Amino acid sequence: MATHEPTSDGVMSGAAIFNSAVTAAAINAAHQLGVFGRLERDGHLEVRAFALANALHRPTLEAILVALASFRIVELDDGREKVLPGPCFAEISRLKGFFYWLIGGYGEILTNLPTTARLAGRGGDVARRDVRAVSIASADMSAVNVDGLFRSVIESLTFDVCADLGCGSAQRLITMARQRPELRGVGVDVAPAALDVAATAVTAAGLASRITLVEADVSTLRRRPDFTGVQLVTCFFLGHDFWPRDRCVRTLRRIRAAFPQAEHLLLCDTHRCAAVPSATDQIFSLGFELTHAAMGQYLPTIAEWRGVFEDSGWDCVAEHQATIPAATVIFHLRPGGVS
Amino acid sequence: MATHEPTSDGVMSGAAIFNSAVTAAAINAAHQLGVFGRLERDGHLEVRAFALANALHRPTLEAILVALASFRIVELDDGREKVLPGPCFAEISRLKGFFYWLIGGYGEILTNLPTTARLAGRGGDVARRDVRAVSIASADMSAVNVDGLFRSVIESLTFDVCADLGCGSAQRLITMARQRPELRGVGVDVAPAALDVAATAVTAAGLASRITLVEADVSTLRRRPDFTGVQLVTCFFLGHDFWPRDRCVRTLRRIRAAFPQAEHLLLCDTHRCAAVPSATDQIFSLGFELTHAAMGQYLPTIAEWRGVFEDSGWDCVAEHQATIPAATVIFHLRPGGVS
């Protein structure tokens, strides 16, 4: 039953936008409740048994599954007893980290947007992001496309000691340490909660002797014994926090000074789009830009990034563009004067 | 730049779902900040002046407008200085109450869905709806299509005294009183906050001598002097609160007893769809069903509604189907035994 008037070609109806907003929340919930994981592992899911085993409220689980079914992410039988992957399952399962990021990480900010958009409503505690969700989701999002790109970038680089700034749960370091048996790593993060998760993961991976974790704010970073010998510095999805420009210049200089033997800085970030992003073709920018505007966080364009390196003591020797998330680049930087 | 793999025909990409969720929040914010109202009135909007006049955080306003522009709801010039209505403006402006309902009313419930879906996370104060937003949005949503249907239904009915159960801001009564100079009305609502809004609106409309407001819970309603002579009882978007069935039967009997002279009960509600709703064609059901499941509120199907009237002392003499919201019916009931 078509209940909306037709819109211009290629543009979504109000019903499709509304239903997508509902389904985005359902995707995040299904992800957190283990629905995607179970379907990936077993290829099917029995609603009653799954609800029972996971102590879930069955009507809510059913409504979540109905939302997924309406977008053909899953197939749900008439009795709502059995779930199978639908034609869109593979795509959405691959992108589920983006929905965790948006709804789990920034849901409160999106809901409270009318308040935070008013000068009178800003500041205070009116809307917060869930730092833990953002950190876990960032790793998920990175895994879709950026991690592969990163692997190909570092393949030709020679290094035995690596530091990851904003290491979060230390997954990047753990992956690298597994691939390079000689590698020593240092993870730096400002959030004690992230470092707790990282410490557990490093220990579980049997890498405690090779990976050190350091609590520090990158914007006030100083040289320290742990940093001796670091040849490669990586910094993923943190760089926009360095801005505005003057502060970014200072921070990048600090990084150079803190790691005097660093030969490479791989800085990966999503930049602001100069043009209006596409409604249907590219994932991330629209959410990234809106939530950061609401938080009062300046986002540089790619031109602004390009214009900051020289003043910061770094040469940009290459740019590697990710396809997902959109507008995401790995800048390959080397200390200024080294070619 | 297409960054997603193709999905089945007619099914939305992950990017389109993600961006829609962002834009749904932007639509709600733009509505609350007066962007739609200004564009409807003036046909254009200057970003700088609008931000200044309304004390808005300009980067957040801009990001909201970018989200609307990416869905062609508005057109934004390259300098992001001037806004015009886009090809989708009229449709989204008409439907904006649905986005206020979803994000403003139920945003917190959608964000906290992973918690409320767990039995351990239910109860307490983990997620609340914004009752005020839901009440105002319901009036907006009703105005799109249901109000016109209601007018056509009551056109042929004879009545001088009307009671509206769950009257909210009393808009339905005020509209009716303006159209029928002889009409007296009684508004019944359980929420003192709603009755405050209603009292102000009734006074502003110069209808204080003709419209009475009563604070009462419909499920425990009793006969009272204000109800004497009521010939028409209306009850819009409240009926699902009467369920489960036993409780609904009792409530409908109470209504009949409380209004012994009532000749008509017009009960309008959105019912649960037996099938999975369409992702793109119909607005409301997906959000209505998911949020009510999360709140633990049972929603009857249309078959369950049809099966309850006779036991409740009412005959259903007609069903009038709304097109928007989907799955919404005005049941025309008459006291049992009267034909």
Side-chain angles (χ1 to χ4, degrees):
Chain A
M1 173 179 54
T3 56
H4 60 286
E5 288 165 19
T7 56
S8 315
D9 279 344
V11 172
M12 286 168 54
S13 69
I17 301 172
F18 180 95
N19 292 338
S20 292
V22 175
T23 297
I27 293 169
N28 171 51
H31 178 25
Q32 300 314 305
L33 299 175
V35 170
F36 283 96
R38 174 63 70 92
L39 286 172
E40 276 165 9
R41 202 187 66 196
D42 297 351
H44 66 96
L45 181 156
E46 309 295 327
V47 178
R48 176 193 300 266
F50 186 82
L52 217 61
N54 295 282
L56 303 181
H57 182 239
R58 179 144 174 208
T60 303
L61 174 62
E62 261 187 43
I64 289 168
L65 293 169
V66 165
L68 299 186
S70 79
F71 279 69
R72 306 194 63 196
I73 299 162
V74 303
E75 306 285 358
L76 189 58
D77 69 354
D78 286 344
R80 300 184 180 180
E81 280 295 344
K82 195 180 168 82
V83 185
L84 297 170
C88 301
F89 180 79
E91 190 206 4
I92 300 301
S93 190
R94 196 165 51 91
L95 297 178
K96 58 188 182 293
F98 287 88
F99 293 91
Y100 184 32
W101 180 90
L102 183 69
I103 308 295
Y106 288 97
E108 193 175 329
I109 285 176
L110 292 179
T111 299
N112 288 303
L113 205 50
T115 305
T116 49
R118 292 179 213 273
L119 293 174
R122 297 183 64 75
D125 210 25
V126 113
R128 293 154 306 169
R129 60 175 170 178
D130 179 333
V131 177
R132 187 172 169 277
V134 169
S135 164
I136 298 172
S138 294
D140 279 8
M141 292 189 289
S142 188
V144 175
N145 174 274
V146 176
D147 290 355
L149 182 61
F150 172 63
R151 265 197 308 280
S152 77
V153 171
I154 62 169
E155 220 157 53
S156 61
L157 303 185
T158 307
F159 60 97
D160 297 310
V161 192
C162 165
D164 191 27
L165 307 180
C167 68
S169 58
Q171 282 314 309
R172 195 173 353 267
L173 285 172
I174 291 170
T175 304
M176 288 166 78
R178 282 176 171 153
Q179 284 161 353
R180 301 181 172 229
E182 304 305 312
L183 188 77
R184 279 197 307 116
V186 188
V188 179
D189 208 290
V190 71
L195 290 171
D196 286 348
V197 178
T200 306
V202 166
T203 304
L207 292 167
S209 62
R210 291 168 55 202
I211 296 177
T212 313
L213 297 170
V214 171
E215 184 183 331
D217 183 340
V218 176
S219 71
T220 57
L221 209 60
R222 292 173 185 280
R223 211 161 151 171
R224 40 183 295 161
D226 304 306
F227 295 168
T228 306
V230 167
Q231 296 143 314
L232 169 67
V233 180
T234 54
C235 181
F236 275 57
F237 301 118
L238 180 64
H240 55 279
D241 281 346
F242 300 165
W243 289 71
R245 190 179 194 280
D246 285 357
R247 198 166 157 265
C248 184
V249 168
R250 280 200 304 275
T251 301
L252 288 175
R253 283 189 186 153
R254 265 185 187 280
I255 293 173
R256 193 173 165 186
F259 300 99
Q261 285 132 297
E263 291 166 27
H264 308 279
L265 168 56
L266 294 175
L267 191 151
C268 178
D269 211 1
T270 303
H271 58 80
R272 182 158 55 90
C273 301
V276 169
S278 152
T280 54
D281 280 350
Q282 60 176 43
I283 197 160
F284 199 51
S285 290
L286 215 55
F288 183 64
E289 296 189 9
L290 179 57
T291 53
H292 284 73
M295 291 188 296
Q297 169 70 57
Y298 185 79
L299 293 179
T301 61
I302 192 164
E304 288 174 310
W305 268 121
R306 287 171 181 154
V308 83
F309 298 133
E310 196 182 336
D311 288 354
S312 310
W314 297 91
D315 292 337
C316 185
V317 298
E319 285 180 9
H320 306 275
Q321 177 78 49
T323 48
I324 299 175
T328 300
V329 177
I330 301 178
F331 295 105
H332 184 173
L333 306 174
R334 305 201 67 184
V338 179
S339 66
Chain B
M1 173 178 56
T3 57
H4 62 284
E5 290 165 18
T7 57
S8 317
D9 279 346
V11 171
M12 285 167 55
S13 69
I17 301 172
F18 179 95
N19 292 339
S20 292
V22 175
T23 297
I27 292 169
N28 172 51
H31 177 26
Q32 299 315 305
L33 299 175
V35 170
F36 283 97
R38 174 64 69 93
L39 285 172
E40 277 166 6
R41 203 187 65 195
D42 296 349
H44 65 96
L45 180 156
E46 309 295 328
V47 178
R48 177 193 298 267
F50 186 80
L52 216 63
N54 295 282
L56 303 181
H57 182 239
R58 181 147 171 206
T60 304
L61 174 62
E62 262 187 44
I64 290 167
L65 293 169
V66 165
L68 300 186
S70 79
F71 280 70
R72 305 195 62 194
I73 298 162
V74 302
E75 306 284 0
L76 188 58
D77 69 354
D78 286 343
R80 301 184 179 179
E81 280 295 343
K82 197 180 167 83
V83 185
L84 297 171
C88 301
F89 180 81
E91 190 206 4
I92 300 302
S93 190
R94 196 164 52 92
L95 298 178
K96 59 189 183 290
F98 287 88
F99 293 91
Y100 184 33
W101 180 89
L102 184 68
I103 308 294
Y106 288 96
E108 193 174 329
I109 286 175
L110 292 179
T111 299
N112 289 302
L113 204 49
T115 306
T116 48
R118 292 190 167 92
L119 292 174
R122 297 186 61 76
D125 210 24
V126 114
R128 295 154 303 169
R129 61 174 169 181
D130 179 334
V131 177
R132 185 171 170 276
V134 170
S135 164
I136 297 172
S138 295
D140 278 8
M141 293 188 291
S142 188
V144 175
N145 175 276
V146 175
D147 290 356
L149 182 61
F150 173 62
R151 267 198 308 279
S152 78
V153 170
I154 62 170
E155 219 157 53
S156 62
L157 304 185
T158 307
F159 60 96
D160 297 310
V161 191
C162 165
D164 191 26
L165 307 180
C167 68
S169 58
Q171 283 314 312
R172 196 172 354 268
L173 285 172
I174 291 170
T175 304
M176 288 166 75
R178 282 175 171 154
Q179 284 161 352
R180 300 180 174 231
E182 303 304 311
L183 188 77
R184 278 196 310 114
V186 188
V188 179
D189 208 290
V190 72
L195 290 170
D196 286 347
V197 177
T200 306
V202 166
T203 304
L207 292 167
S209 62
R210 292 166 56 200
I211 297 177
T212 313
L213 297 170
V214 172
E215 183 182 331
D217 181 342
V218 175
S219 70
T220 57
L221 208 61
R222 293 174 182 281
R223 207 160 152 170
R224 39 183 296 161
D226 303 304
F227 296 166
T228 306
V230 167
Q231 297 144 313
L232 169 67
V233 179
T234 55
C235 182
F236 274 58
F237 302 117
L238 178 65
H240 56 281
D241 281 346
F242 300 165
W243 289 72
R245 189 179 193 281
D246 284 359
R247 196 165 159 267
C248 183
V249 168
R250 281 199 305 275
T251 302
L252 289 174
R253 282 188 188 153
R254 266 187 187 280
I255 293 172
R256 191 172 167 186
F259 300 99
Q261 286 132 299
E263 292 165 27
H264 309 277
L265 168 57
L266 295 175
L267 190 152
C268 178
D269 211 0
T270 302
H271 56 80
R272 182 158 55 90
C273 300
V276 169
S278 152
T280 54
D281 280 351
Q282 60 175 41
I283 197 161
F284 199 53
S285 290
L286 215 54
F288 184 65
E289 296 188 9
L290 179 58
T291 53
H292 284 73
M295 291 189 296
Q297 169 70 56
Y298 185 81
L299 294 179
T301 61
I302 192 164
E304 287 174 311
W305 267 121
R306 286 171 182 152
V308 84
F309 298 131
E310 195 181 336
D311 287 354
S312 309
W314 297 93
D315 293 337
C316 185
V317 298
E319 286 180 9
H320 306 274
Q321 177 79 48
T323 47
I324 300 176
T328 300
V329 176
I330 301 178
F331 296 105
H332 184 172
L333 307 173
R334 305 202 67 181
V338 179
S339 67

